[in-house]
């Protein structure tokens, strides 16, 4: 009996090796990327911007530092507490912008202001903003325009119906995403690493549920939006992003991962920009899509962006929403993420929303406080659910408390002077 079991296990292993070998021979570029990804994950190097290859250059404005506050609006003790927490949790950078100026900027572990950061899934929030910019410029009629108007390969199929709104709400109905499926033959990995991932998006995805009825956090969903952007505007994703969004807000450019030279960009991850370029995007949203008096996003776009979607109260139009308060927020359905992201307390601002990416890349935006807080870098050492794990509410709440403390101190001084 034991021999038969061992023989069966050996045959299964041999079949697996033969299959992997066949995939390797059939697509050397894909398997090279797959092995490089596995090695980088093992070494803890997956957060590095230089991991991604090939890339398209993203144009932008010349790097110009944001103005720095002469007198911080955040009480120094709270700024220092937040800075120390960022450094202790392995951040490479921590920035606070409030009230028209940079209140604080710390860079750690050799990172410099001009260096590119690997945004991970914070890139998803950017493609959401780009859809708004495309609507403002008249390239897309509305949120309720069918995606198949641009992805014409889906016309006459069961994938014809989902709208841009469905895709932005991660409720497209297209191919439930299996985040934890790392097998080289999986749809998840091939869509991420294939030199021809547009073929997978167009032809290998399927209709899995009725659009709008479920929430499914998905690389596939965001990457389809890159096709929409390119076909709606007639421009490459990197060019439209740089010329129509980054340059108008004075943000420096960077790079974006593409499947092959001249191929399709990934919009669900893999956008590399300097830290202050992300802060500028946060400022744009905090100011309702207006920059220096010029409206770049449709009126009401930000309010629509942070309106909870029917299938997930924490997700709007490719944007995370801080309310309702939960201790653990799950990016993915229960089937693939058991623990979720820790929030030790409720966010202290009801209108807080955020960019959030793998490894605790995060940018919190609070319009009522004219506040943007950015943390980026590799994930903290401790795993979710273990003592000392990263607390997603601590940095923004510390800064908000610092704003209140500073305001109270100023009021006390004014009262004594009166």
């Amino acid at each position: 009996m034991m021999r038969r079991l061992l023989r069966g296990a050996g045959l299964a292993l041999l079949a697996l090796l033969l299959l992997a070998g066949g995939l390797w021979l059939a697509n050397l570029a894909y398997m090279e990327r797959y092995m490089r990804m596995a090695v980088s994950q093992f070494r803890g190097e997956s957060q590095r911007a230089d991991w991604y290859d090939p890339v398209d250059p993203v144009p932008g404005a010349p790097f110009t530092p944001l103005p720095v506050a002469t007198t911080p609006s955040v009480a120094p003790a709270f700024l220092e507490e937040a800075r120390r927490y960022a450094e202790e949790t392995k951040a490479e950078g921590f920035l606070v912008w409030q009230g028209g100026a940079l209140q604080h900027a710390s860079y750690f572990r050799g990172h410099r202001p001009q260096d590119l950061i690997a945004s991970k899934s914070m890139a998803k929030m950017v493609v959401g903003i780009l859809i708004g910019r495309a609507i403002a410029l008249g390239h897309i009629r509305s949120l309720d325009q069918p995606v198949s108007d641009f992805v014409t390969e889906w016309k006459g199929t069961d994938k014809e119906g989902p709208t841009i709104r469905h895709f932005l709400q991660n409720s497209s109905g297209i191919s439930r995403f299996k985040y934890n499926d790392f097998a080289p033959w999986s749809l998840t990995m091939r869509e991420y690493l294939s030199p021809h991932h547009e073929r997978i998006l167009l032809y290998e995805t399927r209709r899995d549920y009725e659009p709008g009825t479920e929430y499914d956090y998905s690389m596939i969903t965001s990457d389809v939006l890159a096709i929409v952007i390119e076909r709606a505007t007639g421009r490459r994703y990197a060019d439209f992003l740089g010329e129509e969004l980054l340059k108008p807000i004075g943000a420096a450019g960077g790079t974006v991962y593409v499947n092959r030279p001249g191929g399709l960009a990934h919009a669900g991850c893999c956008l590399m920009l300097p830290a202050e370029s992300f802060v500028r995007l946060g400022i744009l949203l905090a100011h309702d899509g207006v920059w220096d008096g010029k409206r770049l996003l449709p009126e009401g776009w930000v309010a629509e962006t942070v309106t909870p979607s029917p299938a997930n109260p924490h997700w709007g139009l490719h944007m995370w929403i801080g309310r309702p308060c939960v201790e653990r927020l799950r990016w993915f359905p229960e089937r693939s993420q058991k623990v979720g992201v820790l929030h030790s307390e409720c966010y202290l601002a009801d209108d807080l929303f955020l960019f959030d990416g793998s490894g605790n890349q995060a940018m919190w935006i609070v319009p009522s406080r004219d506040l943007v807080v950015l943390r980026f870098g590799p994930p903290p050492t401790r795993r979710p659910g273990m003592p000392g794990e990263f607390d997603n509410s601590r940095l923004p709440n510390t800064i908000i408390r610092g704003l209140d403390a500073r305001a109270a101190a100023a009021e006390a001084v004014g009262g004594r002077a009166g």
Side-chain angles (χ1 to χ4, degrees):
M1 179 67 178
M2 182 59 69
R3 287 181 180 177
R4 285 199 300 270
L5 288 174
L6 291 174
R7 188 181 303 115
L11 290 173
L13 178 59
L14 178 60
L16 183 63
L17 291 173
L18 287 173
L19 179 58
L23 284 170
W24 185 287
L25 292 173
N27 194 335
L28 291 175
Y30 170 75
M31 289 307 297
E32 186 275 331
R33 292 178 188 178
Y34 183 85
M35 296 304 295
R36 185 157 54 91
M37 180 200 71
V39 171
S40 70
Q41 292 279 2
F42 178 76
R43 292 178 175 175
E45 298 173 348
S46 62
Q47 304 289 123
R48 289 172 42 175
D50 59 4
W51 182 89
Y52 299 95
D53 179 63
V55 295
D56 265 1
V58 177
F63 181 82
T64 305
L66 288 165
V68 177
T70 53
T71 303
S73 58
V74 184
F78 290 86
L79 274 176
E80 174 56 25
E81 178 186 341
R83 185 209 66 79
R84 186 169 58 251
Y85 183 69
E87 184 176 20
E88 289 172 352
T89 53
K90 296 179 64 175
E92 290 181 347
F94 170 63
L95 290 81
V96 178
W97 182 94
Q98 196 278 326
L102 200 62
Q103 304 293 325
H104 181 85
S106 287
Y107 294 93
F108 312 105
R109 298 168 179 84
H111 197 94
R112 300 166 299 176
Q114 299 94 328
D115 290 343
L116 304 182
I117 65 175
S119 62
K120 295 293 185 175
S121 284
M122 290 203 304
K124 291 180 173 66
M125 286 79 251
V126 178
V127 73
I129 300 171
L130 272 185
I131 292 291
R133 184 69 178 133
I135 291 175
L137 293 172
H139 297 298
I140 296 172
R141 289 198 309 271
S142 75
L143 284 169
D144 297 310
Q145 186 171 2
V147 164
S148 58
D149 282 1
F150 308 101
V151 185
T152 54
E153 293 86 347
W154 291 356
K155 290 284 188 182
T157 74
D158 63 355
K159 295 186 286 187
E160 183 176 18
T163 64
I164 289 171
R165 185 189 302 273
H166 287 137
F167 271 80
L168 287 174
Q169 290 179 338
N170 279 350
S171 296
S172 68
I174 305 299
S175 289
R176 288 189 184 91
F177 193 63
K178 296 181 179 179
Y179 176 76
N180 59 350
D181 190 350
F182 293 104
W185 51 83
S186 71
L187 184 71
T188 301
M189 287 293 98
R190 290 187 298 112
E191 193 277 330
Y192 178 45
L193 299 172
S194 170
H196 299 277
H197 84 283
E198 72 274 27
R199 297 177 188 171
I200 297 169
L201 295 172
L202 295 175
Y203 303 114
E204 293 192 41
T205 52
R206 61 192 179 275
R207 168 80 170 269
D208 277 348
Y209 59 92
E210 185 67 24
T213 62
E214 295 185 23
Y215 161 82
D216 186 46
Y217 187 83
S218 170
M219 285 280 290
I220 291 170
T221 299
S222 302
D223 283 349
V224 167
L225 292 174
I227 299 177
V228 171
I229 290 289
E230 293 199 347
R231 293 186 178 181
T233 65
R235 301 162 72 173
R236 289 186 63 74
Y237 184 83
D239 176 65
F240 185 74
L241 166 59
E243 297 294 338
E244 301 297 344
L245 185 59
L246 298 184
K247 283 187 177 182
I249 64 174
T255 61
V256 64
Y257 177 44
V258 294
N259 58 5
R260 63 185 182 280
L264 178 66
H266 285 270
C269 72
C270 322
L271 173 64
M272 279 64 70
L273 298 173
E276 288 195 15
S277 292
F278 282 101
V279 172
R280 286 173 182 266
L281 289 170
I283 297 169
L284 175 68
L285 296 176
H287 292 172
D288 193 36
V290 175
W291 190 274
D292 284 344
K294 180 180 179 181
R295 177 161 290 283
L296 300 179
L297 301 176
E299 188 171 359
W301 178 261
V302 176
E304 186 80 48
T305 294
V306 299
T307 298
S309 59
N312 185 345
H314 289 107
W315 184 257
L317 300 180
H318 259 49
M319 187 67 67
W320 290 106
I321 303 169
R323 294 281 178 167
C325 181
V326 291
E327 182 179 3
R328 291 192 177 274
L329 179 63
R330 292 170 173 84
W331 294 358
F332 305 96
E334 293 260 1
R335 64 180 183 270
S336 58
Q337 189 185 21
K338 302 299 183 184
V339 177
V341 180
L342 173 66
H343 299 75
S344 67
E345 61 178 347
C346 299
Y347 288 121
L348 295 179
D350 288 344
D351 62 334
L352 180 148
F353 58 96
L354 62 151
F355 290 35
D356 208 351
S358 175
N360 304 117
Q361 324 299 314
M363 183 166 71
W364 300 267
I365 303 162
V366 187
S368 62
R369 300 298 190 109
D370 203 12
L371 174 67
V372 178
V373 179
L374 173 67
R375 182 267 182 211
F376 65 92
T381 303
R382 294 178 178 86
R383 295 181 179 275
M386 296 180 63
E389 71 173 293
F390 185 78
D391 178 356
N392 226 43
S393 63
R394 183 163 171 181
L395 288 174
N397 280 1
T398 300
I399 296 302
I400 291 171
R401 288 188 172 103
L403 285 171
D404 290 343
R406 189 77 178 196
E411 184 177 346
V413 170
R416 288 196 297 271

